[in-house]
Amino acid sequence: MADYQLFIDGERCDAASGETFATHDPATGEKIADVAKAGREDAVRAIEAARRAFDEGPWPKMSGKERAAKVNRIAELIGEHADELAELEARDGGGTIRKASLADIPGGKGAFEWFAKMAETQPDEVTLEGSPFPASENTVRYEPMGVCTGIIPWNFPFIMASWKIAPAIAAGNTSVIKPATFTPLTALKLAELIEEADLPPGVVNILAGPGGTVGEELAGSPLVDKTAFTGSTEVGRRIMQLASATVKPVTLELGGKSANIVLDDADLDQAAAGVLWGTFMHGGQVCESGTRALVQRGIYDEFVSMLADRAGKIVLGNPLDFATDLGPLVHRSQVETVERYVALGRDEVGEPITGGAKPEGLPEGLDTECYFQPTIFADVDNSAKIAQEEIFGPVLSVIPFDTEDEAIAIANDSIYGLAGGVQSGDLDRAKAVAARMRTGTVWINDYHLIDPQRPFGGYKQSGIGRELGTFGYDAYRQVKHVHVNPETSGRDNHFHYAVLSDQI
Ligand code: NAD
């Protein structure tokens, strides 16, 4: 029996093949657990269970209030197991315990609470006034979509699972979720909490397995009504292709290369902290990281030396130690990707002004091969590959500009449009710049703050649709217009039949 099993149709089970895979702590290389490795057969079984739970089970017929009580119960259980979840999240993905306990677990819990509130407060039916047709009654009904699948990445496994499950089930759908193979543990632990919350079987199903089999089934199956995907733009394109076979609606949250614009009236101390926080939190393995800092020429030299100086003070170490700022990257393969981009940066731009290598002198027992120093390239041209491509590691490109128009042009010169920042002492000026950035979120004098109540998603190749907020709830509801002619007999109010004929 695997240490962490699949959760299908209300029961935990091994994969049909009996196969397992090991998950490791990237900080030390130690094995943490054996996880049941789902295959296509398990994915089909999970989708069928979700289909039955939707078509025949009580969940979609329950009132919003009844569903909200269950969704809130999941949030409560997350709160009760917060320490255990935080440690598991930090060990499985290499993020720090500080991030896991202050952001990841409360963030996931907050998503369940928010969508429970949506289920309780958002009307299922709205009456429309003012029809041009005499004596008609018109309503719009909001209905669940059906079976909703969610495919999630390794960088924020617990929050991403929560963002996919909570809105789906709150709105009356059933759900099948696949975590990434590097980081399956907190999603599978969440399955245990959902089991304890006693939802009807099949409402939530969670299975870890490869993207090429399990993920493809979740996106392509004709039994699935909607797919939500968070991950790379490349796989996002494949998800769209698979979903197109049955014209399935998709929500896609994809890559980014966000610009953090530092205007010359910014408080440099605050802005430098904002740029470093915006780039290096979780080692830059964040889709909306501000990995391009656009700095106005008048403050450029002073600001760049502040960045280099302070980046050197970021403490790399054991993620389970509260004193650690940065843990390892998720896997050695991610370090190799970063090394390739840093080598490219050396060719394109020159020596980085700080970092550029794996760290030395880490505490004993840590796997140096899995760590990388915060790295900054200055004087980068926006056309450079390191400024255009998502690296998904601790690498910042600093780009100088002269005028606001130039800053906006550079910021928008990207295939992505997920997020961005403006650092300025003049809020009106900053808001005017923010309005011209073609991107889904802009933080003024801040960065990274995502809140379940506000919409999140991308422009351009950063995705389709929005998660969170009321927008993220409606993304899981179908809209039905019901027109009633209250006249149950007779021909008054049916003058429009004459559009066909007076004789019928
Ligand atoms: P990835 O695209 O490689 O994988 C994401 C998920 O898709 C995983 O569960 C994977 O197993 C699955 N998958 C892979 N191939 C598949 C296929 N053919 N069919 C179906 N599923 C498949 O991404 P990753 O490396 O796990 O995560 C990093 C990427 O995620 C980055 O590009 C990052 O920007 C993006 N991301 C975006 C957001 C956002 O909200 N926009 C948030 C987090 C991460």
Side-chain angles (χ1 to χ4, degrees), residues 439-493:
T439 181
T441 298
V442 183
W443 290 282
I444 293 176
N445 294 332
D446 222 314
Y447 213 89
H448 281 319
L449 293 184
I450 295 178
D451 163 355
Q453 303 188 32
R454 321 284 169 221
F456 179 72
Y459 283 34
K460 301 190 267 182
Q461 293 186 37
S462 288
I464 297 178
R466 294 292 177 272
E467 292 188 295
L468 308 180
T470 51
F471 309 87
Y473 186 60
D474 285 340
Y476 284 89
R477 304 205 295 172
Q478 277 289 11
V479 175
K480 179 184 284 174
H481 167 213
V482 180
H483 172 108
V484 180
N485 188 329
E487 192 177 296
T488 55
S489 66
R491 296 297 296 270
D492 288 351
N493 299 336

Side-chain angles (χ1 to χ4, degrees), residues 150-156 160 163-164 178-183 209-219 229-236 238-239 242 252-256 285-288 330 334 390 392 416 418 450 456-458 462-463 467:
I151 302 170
I152 60 181
W154 45 257
N155 60 342
F156 285 86
M160 292 293 122
W163 285 15
K164 302 285 183 277
K178 189 194 93 59
T181 333
F182 283 157
T183 54
T213 50
V214 176
E216 297 234 346
E217 191 63 33
L218 298 194
F229 169 79
T230 299
S232 59
T233 296
E234 190 188 347
V235 176
R238 175 74 184 139
I239 301 287
L242 290 164
L252 301 177
E253 303 284 4
L254 309 176
Q285 301 168 115
V286 185
C287 50
E288 37 75 351
V330 71
Q334 196 62 18
E390 185 181 49
F392 229 55
Y416 298 113
L418 189 55
I450 295 178
F456 179 72
S462 288
E467 292 188 295

Side-chain angles (χ1 to χ4, degrees), residues 218-265:
L218 298 194
S221 166
L223 298 181
V224 171
D225 298 290
K226 178 202 163 93
T227 293
F229 169 79
T230 299
S232 59
T233 296
E234 190 188 347
V235 176
R237 286 191 196 101
R238 175 74 184 139
I239 301 287
M240 266 182 105
Q241 273 174 353
L242 290 164
S244 71
T246 52
V247 197
K248 205 176 272 138
V250 289
T251 304
L252 301 177
E253 303 284 4
L254 309 176
K257 193 76 192 177
S258 299
N260 199 348
I261 300 176
V262 185
L263 298 176
D264 56 8
D265 59 12

